[in-house]
Amino acid sequence: AKGVSSWAMGRIKSGRYNFLLYLSFLAFISLGLPDGLLGIAWPSMSGSFGQALSRLALLQVAMTSGFFLSSTNTARLIRRLGVGRLLVLSNTLVATALLLYVLAEHWYLVVFASVLLGTGGGAVDAGLNTYSAEHFSKEQLTLLHAFYGFGAMLGPAIMRFILIREMPWQRAYFFTFLLIFGLLIIFFLFRRSWDDPGRRWDEADPLESRAAPAAPGAEGPSVFSRRGVGIPLFFFYTGFEVTVGAWSFSLLSVGRGFDPGITALWVGGYWTALTGGRIFFGFVGRRWSSTGIIAAMQLLLSFGSLLLLQPWWSIGAFIALPIIGFSCAPLFPLFVTLTPHVVGKESAGRFIGLQVAAASIGAAAVPALVGLLVEFSSLEAVVMVLLALSLLIIAIYRHWLQAASRID
């Protein structure tokens, strides 16, 4: 009887664990949906409010200010509210922001909505990344980020559907609001399910590691320490990923004169490849080492950036977008999964919170820098920044990874 009872309890815990994983998938869809909209909507949106294309940087800064505020306080919010209630609160903010995009008649309301959107997204991103690094395997974490890509992939598809029918861009934000509102209802109904933490990180299949947990008194999370280099790594990588999504449509349609409908389709291909790559590595990633996957994808990232830069082969610029998307696919989730092995499990939550906060700053600062360069030069500045970032990411990652051998 005792054996049967233990078996039953194990099945219940396993079922709860899987259910929380599925809820996490839905949460990352809600995180990605608005991100995929803005890059396609921006040329139309900027015309509606009489803003220059370079003012996209202001919206990125507004989103990041909210994102940074919530992501740096996520640990405190989780202690006070719990993960389930935090998801409800954050998605309420996201839904409110999307509705403001639909109804706004003045530019300042769009900026305010962007702050709300970033605040809601930051809580989901930092909270679930920290939770997932502790409770899910690296393959599951990669799949989790695939659902972010799925949400981001839906954004351009919705916006393209609206624009080719010559409907106002606000329509796409309203459809997205309805989807987020549906997810909000789900999170509200199951907000108490997160009270049982489920499986712990060290019970999942761990990443191969050269590092032991950090000893008491080990160096803190300073960006100047070798282990702290993971913080600027997230800054530059996320800046790269967001810059591709936010500026590639303007680069190819406005800067190089390609058909907007075809361009939107290929930008959607970027998000599709990002999502498909995460699904691919989520299912078959166990066949290769995580460090091997990262090294190969970083090389592919540089190749895709070069292909986007060259001006002689026009179709090559389009092909570059899904190549870049696929190469980006496993990087962020594997960086997160690698963090406990580089910094020690006891310090992982603190470092991941700082890394996600740095990622939020990079998501605004790098596209903002691109906006300034575009304003003072041309849209071709976009691809120059992307190539430089792809090489910088490789250099920073290699330096960060060496910290694992220094914690032994």
Side-chain angles (χ1 to χ4, degrees):
K2 184 176 181 180
V4 173
S5 176
S6 299
W7 175 85
M9 288 300 297
R11 295 288 293 179
I12 291 173
K13 288 182 178 180
S14 177
R16 182 181 291 272
Y17 169 83
N18 290 331
F19 182 67
L20 292 178
L21 180 62
Y22 301 147
L23 283 181
S24 299
F25 289 162
L26 290 177
F28 265 74
I29 289 176
S30 72
L31 186 64
L33 266 170
D35 290 353
L37 286 174
L38 184 58
I40 306 298
W42 178 239
S44 300
M45 186 185 297
S46 61
S48 298
F49 293 100
Q51 303 295 320
L53 283 174
S54 60
R55 296 300 294 275
L56 175 62
L58 178 60
L59 292 189
Q60 294 287 354
V61 170
M63 289 181 190
T64 298
S65 62
F67 197 106
F68 182 80
L69 176 66
S70 59
S71 61
T72 53
N73 288 280
T74 297
R76 185 181 307 169
L77 291 171
I78 289 177
R79 285 196 301 269
R80 178 168 296 186
L81 301 175
V83 176
R85 293 176 183 83
L86 182 60
L87 281 176
V88 172
L89 174 62
S90 60
N91 277 271
T92 300
L93 291 175
V94 171
T96 302
L98 292 173
L99 197 57
L100 279 175
Y101 273 116
V102 174
L103 301 176
E105 296 182 356
H106 302 284
W107 173 244
Y108 70 87
L109 288 176
V110 176
V111 176
F112 175 69
S114 299
V115 175
L116 292 183
L117 189 63
T119 303
V124 174
D125 200 357
L128 283 183
N129 271 295
T130 301
Y131 181 92
S132 301
E134 295 177 350
H135 296 91
F136 301 146
S137 69
K138 69 183 179 73
E139 290 80 20
Q140 290 167 334
L141 186 56
T142 304
L143 279 176
L144 181 65
H145 283 264
F147 279 84
Y148 168 83
F150 180 65
M153 178 183 67
L154 281 178
I158 293 172
M159 187 60 69
R160 181 174 181 272
F161 177 85
I162 293 299
L163 293 180
I164 63 176
R165 286 162 177 77
E166 299 183 349
M167 291 187 283
W169 58 267
Q170 290 93 335
R171 217 49 93 70
Y173 275 94
F174 181 70
F175 290 154
T176 306
F177 162 77
L178 295 178
L179 292 174
I180 295 294
F181 188 76
L183 293 175
L184 174 60
I185 293 174
I186 295 174
F187 295 138
F188 178 78
L189 292 175
F190 297 103
R191 64 191 183 279
R192 299 185 187 278
S193 300
W194 299 86
D195 294 342
D196 183 351
R199 187 166 64 170
R200 299 296 302 174
W201 169 83
D202 52 5
E203 295 171 0
D205 296 330
L207 181 68
E208 65 280 1
S209 175
R210 296 174 289 161
E219 58 181 333
S222 167
V223 295
F224 301 106
S225 70
R226 190 180 293 266
R227 292 188 299 163
V229 170
I231 297 172
L233 173 65
F234 278 72
F235 174 93
F236 289 113
Y237 167 74
T238 307
F240 180 97
E241 184 181 302
V242 173
T243 297
V244 176
W247 281 104
S248 57
F249 181 80
S250 297
L251 168 70
L252 296 177
S253 64
V254 179
R256 298 186 181 176
F258 293 115
D259 179 78
I262 295 175
T263 303
L265 186 64
W266 281 95
V267 173
Y270 165 73
W271 296 111
T272 302
L274 185 71
T275 304
R278 284 174 174 168
I279 293 172
F280 173 80
F281 287 109
F283 282 107
V284 304
R286 192 178 294 273
R287 298 181 181 181
W288 305 288
S289 70
S290 295
T291 51
I293 293 173
I294 292 173
M297 291 303 102
Q298 286 178 333
L299 289 176
L300 188 61
L301 191 70
S302 298
F303 171 74
S305 300
L306 277 172
L307 193 58
L308 186 62
L309 174 66
Q310 57 81 32
W312 305 284
W313 186 33
S314 58
I315 191 63
F318 287 126
I319 295 174
L321 291 177
I323 290 175
I324 292 172
F326 183 81
S327 60
C328 284
L331 294 182
F332 192 101
L334 288 184
F335 290 157
V336 172
T337 308
L338 185 61
T339 297
H341 302 274
V342 176
V343 306
K345 190 169 61 173
E346 287 79 2
S347 301
R350 179 174 52 176
F351 270 87
I352 290 172
L354 289 172
Q355 288 166 349
V356 171
S360 71
I361 299 174
V366 175
L369 173 63
V370 171
L372 290 175
L373 293 175
V374 166
E375 189 167 347
F376 289 105
S377 57
S378 71
L379 280 165
E380 291 300 320
V382 174
V383 287
M384 298 300 297
V385 172
L386 291 178
L387 179 60
L389 284 176
S390 68
L391 300 175
L392 184 61
I393 289 166
I394 294 174
I396 294 176
Y397 166 75
R398 291 179 65 85
H399 183 65
W400 181 58
L401 191 63
Q402 292 172 12
S405 62
R406 293 168 62 91
I407 309 175
D408 293 338

